[in-house]
Amino acid sequence: MRKLIDKLYVKQELEPDELKELLIAEENQRKGLLQEEQISEYLFEKARQVRHEHYGNKVFTRGLIELSNYCKNDCYYCGIRRSNTGVARYRLNKEDILNCCQSGYDLGFRTFVLQGGEDSHYNDNMMADIIYTIKSNFPDCAVTLSLGEKEYDSYLLYFHAGADRYLLRHETSNPQHYRKLHPEEMSLTHRKKCLEQLKEIGYQVGCGIMVGSPFQTVDNLVEDLLYIKEFQPHMVGIGPFIPHHETPFAAEKGGTAEQTLFLLGLSRLMLPKVLLPATTALGTINPKGRELGILAGANVVMPNLSPVSVRKDYELYDNKICTGDEAAECRQCLDLRMKSIDYEIVVERGDFIK
Ligand code: 5AD
Ligand code: FES
């Protein structure tokens, strides 16, 4: 297995069969079936080496602002899906959002991520105005959008208003698997088309997956890695699937921290310069998840800047961490956590390096 990891380290790619072999070895290791060597540790060592070449021990931070938990979609895994009538729905207005940015700025955030369900309340002009105002008030900051699937013209308008980056996880690159996670009206083809358009417009673009989502196979993960390699995103979001009690997947098993970390390590080796967050979902299933994510090759953390009053309502999955903490507490907590593993959160935009 070490040979395959060495090959990936040198070539930044592997044959599908080789990726599959590694993923199966990780699975066996997790099940206690693999006696010989700790392949994960070896992978993480290499991944850290690569991340240190490009980013040293810097950790970039992004302030996540959860605009709205209204959503027109009905993804089977997601806690804020439209069919979940148990959610107290909320929307932040422009002033709320700018207040979040101001407190974030004071805490050293230089990227703001505007994330929300697909909520048509914010029409294109409203969104463009919000983006433009953030960029005018905080000219040294980047704005990342995570607002789902939109028309090309909307993406273009937001870009011209000043948005820098866009996150849109593809969730799975296998059409049959995609179908099992989403209702009929959504399609992988459209999602991929959006990703292509975002890239063409000039955004720094992030795709990504949930690890251990229902029906996911090792072959699906191989396909995901190949798609990610081919698409060459600037960012990749990889977190464990965590069941939400009011969704059709309430009784499904969640993803494991071990497998998530393994995929982070592989992603770092395949895309050496990628911006790779140690996700909140990873921090939710393991108390040291974010630290372990950084040690597996991640270089970004995304604490929450949303007003504490709405945080518990943006519940994509159960037991999400930090829903009761002020932004300042998370900032300080993450500072300490990163220092404890000899990494350092920096006050920078943290752009993709060409
Ligand atoms: N568990 C983990 N991640 C989830 N997401 C949505 N629902 C869940 C869940 N139950 C992720 C999706 C989406 C991102 C914003 O959150 O991958 O793209
Ligand atoms: Fe929020 Fe630790 S990051 S409290």
Side-chain angles (χ1 to χ4, degrees), residues 143 152 155-160 162-166 194-206 231-232 234-235 349 351-352 354:
V143 168
Y152 181 90
Y155 288 150
L156 190 65
L157 183 73
Y158 305 161
F159 188 74
H160 287 147
D164 302 275
R165 312 188 189 122
Y166 206 105
C194 289
L195 283 163
E196 293 295 339
Q197 292 179 337
L198 288 161
K199 203 172 198 194
E200 185 198 314
I201 289 171
Y203 284 97
Q204 293 174 46
V205 182
F231 181 62
Q232 291 279 317
H234 308 87
M235 307 171 280
R349 280 172 52 122
D351 284 296
F352 183 79
K354 294 256 163 57

Side-chain angles (χ1 to χ4, degrees), residues 5 9 38-59 261-262 264-274 276 290-299 338 341-343:
I5 293 169
Y9 172 76
Q38 284 302 311
I39 57 158
S40 295
E41 270 318 311
Y42 188 67
L43 169 67
F44 302 158
E45 222 172 88
K46 289 289 175 196
R48 284 198 295 274
Q49 208 172 316
V50 170
R51 91 70 104 202
H52 279 262
E53 274 167 36
H54 299 293
Y55 294 102
N57 72 338
K58 285 183 185 181
V59 176
L261 293 167
F262 199 74
L264 288 174
L266 293 176
S267 304
R268 170 62 63 206
L269 292 189
M270 294 178 86
L271 301 168
K273 295 179 180 171
V274 77
L276 193 64
R290 287 165 298 174
E291 291 90 324
L292 293 170
I294 297 295
L295 291 170
N299 63 340
M338 295 301 118
I341 52 168
D342 294 322
Y343 284 79

Side-chain angles (χ1 to χ4, degrees), residues 72-207:
K72 71 170 166 63
N73 291 332
D74 219 13
C75 309
Y76 302 141
Y77 46 82
C78 184
I80 62 169
R81 62 200 299 269
R82 69 161 187 263
S83 294
N84 186 1
T85 52
V87 182
R89 304 282 171 175
Y90 75 88
R91 290 186 177 108
L92 301 184
N93 62 27
K94 183 178 170 185
E95 191 191 338
D96 301 327
I97 296 165
L98 287 167
N99 287 336
C100 292
C101 293
Q102 186 61 57
S103 48
Y105 191 88
D106 297 339
L107 290 168
F109 291 96
R110 295 297 178 267
T111 291
F112 303 117
V113 181
L114 307 184
Q115 185 177 86
E118 293 194 14
D119 180 3
S120 53
H121 165 82
Y122 301 88
N123 64 37
D124 281 353
N125 288 333
M126 282 165 76
M127 266 327 297
D129 174 54
I130 291 168
I131 295 161
Y132 184 81
T133 311
I134 296 175
K135 293 292 287 190
S136 314
N137 293 2
F138 307 97
D140 53 340
C141 292
V143 168
T144 303
L145 304 177
S146 177
L147 303 171
E149 298 177 26
K150 304 264 177 194
E151 297 295 326
Y152 181 90
D153 288 344
S154 308
Y155 288 150
L156 190 65
L157 183 73
Y158 305 161
F159 188 74
H160 287 147
D164 302 275
R165 312 188 189 122
Y166 206 105
L167 300 173
L168 183 70
R169 289 190 183 175
H170 61 287
E171 313 296 357
T172 173
S173 43
N174 179 279
Q176 287 83 42
H177 186 218
Y178 193 91
R179 186 53 50 249
K180 294 180 181 165
L181 302 180
H182 304 94
E184 204 60 53
E185 67 264 18
M186 294 180 73
S187 83
L188 180 59
T189 315
H190 190 255
R191 205 149 181 100
K192 286 185 169 175
K193 186 171 144 205
C194 289
L195 283 163
E196 293 295 339
Q197 292 179 337
L198 288 161
K199 203 172 198 194
E200 185 198 314
I201 289 171
Y203 284 97
Q204 293 174 46
V205 182
C207 61

Side-chain angles (χ1 to χ4, degrees), residues 1 33-39:
M1 287 308 140
L33 298 174
L34 199 71
Q35 305 300 328
E36 24 153 351
E37 50 187 2
Q38 284 302 311
I39 57 158

Side-chain angles (χ1 to χ4, degrees), residues 294-312:
I294 297 295
L295 291 170
N299 63 340
V300 173
V301 287
M302 299 175 64
N304 203 314
L305 277 184
S306 308
V308 176
S309 57
V310 302
R311 285 203 194 175
K312 58 185 178 332

